């Protein structure tokens, strides 16, 4: 059902109106020439008026009021000239014109304009009925029948269009209200989570401050007892170790809560360059073939290892997002520096802006990040990190 609804919504309704107008015009012209009930002297006249009469359907969405009035305005002179659109054609398909145009006037414009157009069209149709009666045409409705025609061909479709418009407006209003409620609920949940995380951050600060103070006191006591009472000093050092482990475990637990709930890396160790093969598999699944060239990298500090991984991750992520097909990563140690180069097979506009966050990480470790990305040249990212460096030098 959802697929069918999507296909229906995807139909070009203006084009559909043109198809209906052409089909109606062809039908009316053919009937004008071929129908047995049409007098020969009136065939050409009826066929000529059939074309502008049917054409009003094609423009009823753009000019609903004008199309309705034009439809009935065409009907009047053709009736005065003894046209046979409404009296002799066997299919009676001409009735579709005022019905469709009146529905459009009710559904697509404000009610006041729709009523004004319907009043004008109804008056014209009523005059058409009177003229037909005066001409003693076969099946002429007469004055009473004229009112019935106005009600059936103009007032009824106009009312149906207005009801449909009102229903659609209520549906749209409820849909918008639902969207707002969902957005407000999501915002409330985000605010509650953010507030709880602030509370957790304060608790974490208190835990660390208390534990570190305890460790400092115990370490100072152990230093004083180290020579005179080594056994008590050992017990103090063991207590310092236990306090440190407990604090570290609590800090990891709380930091895990502070991270995003939908991040699969939230409770896993921080990645490093040894996990680049897994990263390469992930980007290959996104259509980016990645070649890794890595020398001997043992002995990297955890911070440098993490920053280097993040640089590669960000560069490959941008390459995959922008439709690159091939990338090469080369990492080596040279003269106390970790050298990292990433090459993609096409240019990436605004790559420097996208890689700005990792550039800040690199700067914290006294490193240098260069992004070579001319408009007509493939992307190249060069990173140089001093080995053994830590944040702020």
């Amino acid at each position: 059902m959802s697929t069918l609804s999507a296909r229906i919504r995807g139909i070009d309704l203006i084009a559909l109106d043109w198809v209906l107008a052409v089909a109606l015009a062809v039908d009316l012209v053919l009937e004008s020439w071929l129908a047995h009930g049409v007098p020969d002297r009136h065939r050409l006249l009826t066929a000529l008026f059939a074309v502008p009469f049917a054409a009003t359907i094609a423009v009823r969405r753009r000019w609903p009021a004008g199309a309705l009035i034009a439809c009935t305005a065409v009907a009047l002179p053709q009736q005065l000239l003894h046209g046979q659109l409404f009296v002799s054609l066997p299919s009676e398909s001409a009735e579709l014109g005022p019905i469709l145009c009146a529905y459009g006037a009710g559904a697509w414009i404000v009610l006041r304009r729709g009523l004004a157009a319907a009043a004008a069209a109804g008056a014209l149709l009523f005059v058409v009925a009177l003229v037909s009666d005066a001409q003693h045409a076969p099946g002429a409705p007469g004055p009473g029948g004229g009112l019935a025609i106005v009600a059936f061909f103009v007032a009824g479709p106009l009312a149906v269009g207005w009801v449909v418009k009102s229903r659609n407006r209520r549906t749209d209003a409820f849909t918008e209200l639902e969207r707002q409620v969902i957005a407000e609920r999501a915002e409330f949940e985000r605010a509650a989570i953010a507030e709880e995380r602030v509370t957790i951050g304060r608790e974490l600060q208190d835990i660390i401050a208390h534990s570190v103070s305890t460790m400092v006191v115990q370490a100072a006591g152990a230093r004083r007892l180290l020579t005179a009472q080594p056994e008590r000093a050992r017990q103090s050092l063991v207590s310092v170790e236990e306090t440190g482990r407990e604090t570290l475990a609590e800090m990891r637990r709380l930091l895990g809560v502070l991270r995003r709930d939908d991040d699969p890396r939230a409770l896993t160790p921080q990645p490093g360059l040894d996990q680049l093969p897994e990263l390469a598999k992930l980007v290959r699944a996104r259509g980016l073939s990645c070649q890794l060239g890595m020398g001997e990298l043992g002995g990297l500090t955890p911070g440098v290892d993490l920053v280097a991984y993040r640089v590669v991750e960000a560069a490959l992520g941008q390459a995959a997002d922008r439709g690159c097909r091939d990338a090469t990563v080369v990492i080596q140690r040279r003269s106390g520096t970790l050298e990292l180069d990433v090459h993609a097979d096409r240019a990436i506009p605004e790559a420097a802006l996208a890689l700005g966050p990792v550039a800040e990480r690199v700067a914290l470790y006294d490193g240098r990040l260069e992004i070579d990305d001319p408009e007509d040249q493939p992307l190249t990212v060069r990173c140089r990190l001093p080995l053994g460096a830590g944040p702020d030098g």
Side-chain angles (χ1 to χ4, degrees):
M1 287 297 293
S2 59
T3 303
L4 178 61
S5 300
R7 290 180 179 178
I8 293 175
R9 287 193 297 269
I11 295 176
D12 187 343
L13 297 179
I14 295 179
L16 180 62
D17 281 347
W18 277 92
V19 171
L20 289 174
V22 171
L24 180 60
V26 170
D27 175 72
L28 294 177
V29 169
L30 289 177
E31 289 193 59
S32 300
W33 286 108
L34 303 177
H36 295 295
V38 180
D40 291 339
R41 64 182 182 277
H42 297 149
R43 291 185 184 275
L44 177 59
L45 178 69
T46 305
L48 290 176
F49 274 99
V51 175
F53 176 81
T56 57
I57 297 177
V59 298
R60 68 190 185 107
R61 294 181 187 274
R62 186 170 184 180
W63 300 296
L68 176 59
I69 296 174
C71 177
T72 52
V74 170
L76 180 57
Q78 74 87 32
Q79 190 64 47
L80 289 172
L81 296 174
H82 298 279
Q84 304 295 304
L85 284 178
F86 293 99
V87 293
S88 299
L89 301 186
S91 71
E92 299 182 352
S93 57
E95 298 174 357
L96 286 175
I99 290 176
L100 292 177
C101 291
Y103 173 85
W108 303 322
I109 57 178
V110 296
L111 181 60
R112 183 174 61 183
R113 290 185 59 197
L115 289 174
L124 288 171
L125 273 185
F126 186 74
V127 173
V128 170
L130 294 180
V131 171
S132 176
D133 184 63
Q135 293 173 341
H136 303 288
L147 294 176
I149 288 175
V150 172
F152 182 79
F153 292 111
V154 178
L158 181 81
V160 172
W162 181 80
V163 170
V164 171
K165 178 176 68 173
S166 300
R167 180 183 177 185
N168 290 339
R169 283 183 175 178
R170 286 195 298 270
T171 301
D172 293 342
F174 280 121
T175 301
E176 178 63 19
L177 180 61
E178 181 183 14
R179 187 194 65 79
Q180 292 179 359
V181 169
I182 293 174
E184 290 175 359
R185 181 183 302 168
E187 183 63 27
F188 177 78
E189 291 176 354
R190 285 194 294 267
I193 292 173
E195 183 178 356
E196 182 64 21
R197 286 177 174 174
V198 170
T199 303
I200 292 174
R202 295 195 190 101
E203 293 176 354
L204 179 60
Q205 182 181 10
D206 293 341
I207 290 172
I208 294 175
H210 173 73
S211 300
V212 170
S213 299
T214 302
M215 293 168 65
V216 169
V217 172
Q218 291 174 338
R223 178 176 58 81
R224 295 190 185 94
L225 297 173
L226 189 60
T227 303
Q229 301 180 36
E231 182 60 26
R232 291 184 60 187
R234 187 186 69 81
Q235 293 176 357
S236 296
L237 292 175
V238 170
S239 180
V240 169
E241 180 182 2
E242 292 177 350
T243 302
R245 291 182 183 278
E246 292 174 358
T247 303
L248 182 60
E250 184 68 13
M251 183 172 62
R252 284 177 174 172
R253 185 181 68 82
L254 292 177
L255 287 176
V257 174
L258 287 174
R259 293 184 181 183
R260 290 178 55 188
D261 297 334
D262 59 349
D263 189 350
R265 303 167 297 179
L267 298 178
T268 60
Q270 294 288 0
L273 293 178
D274 59 336
Q275 297 183 19
L276 286 183
E278 287 76 11
L279 177 62
K281 291 181 181 178
L282 292 176
V283 295
R284 285 193 190 103
R286 298 169 59 186
L288 176 64
S289 177
C290 180
Q291 303 296 325
L292 297 177
M294 301 171 61
E296 176 59 40
L297 302 177
L300 297 179
T301 62
V304 172
D305 196 23
L306 174 61
V307 171
Y309 177 89
R310 293 303 187 199
V311 171
V312 177
E313 179 185 43
L316 293 181
Q318 282 296 309
D321 290 342
R322 299 305 179 91
C324 296
R325 310 304 299 174
D326 295 287
T328 303
V329 179
V330 179
I331 305 174
Q332 56 186 344
R333 300 176 63 152
R334 181 178 299 174
S335 302
T337 301
L338 181 66
E339 298 183 354
L340 188 155
D341 298 286
V342 180
H343 305 276
D345 63 349
R346 67 174 60 179
I348 299 180
E350 300 180 354
L353 180 62
L355 297 177
V358 292
E360 296 180 2
R361 285 177 177 256
V362 172
L364 286 174
Y365 284 79
D366 295 331
R368 186 175 74 256
L369 184 68
E370 299 176 354
I371 302 171
D372 186 9
D373 186 30
E375 292 185 359
D376 56 346
Q377 296 295 326
L379 169 70
T380 298
V381 178
R382 299 184 183 89
C383 179
R384 301 295 182 263
L385 286 166
L387 295 178
D392 299 325

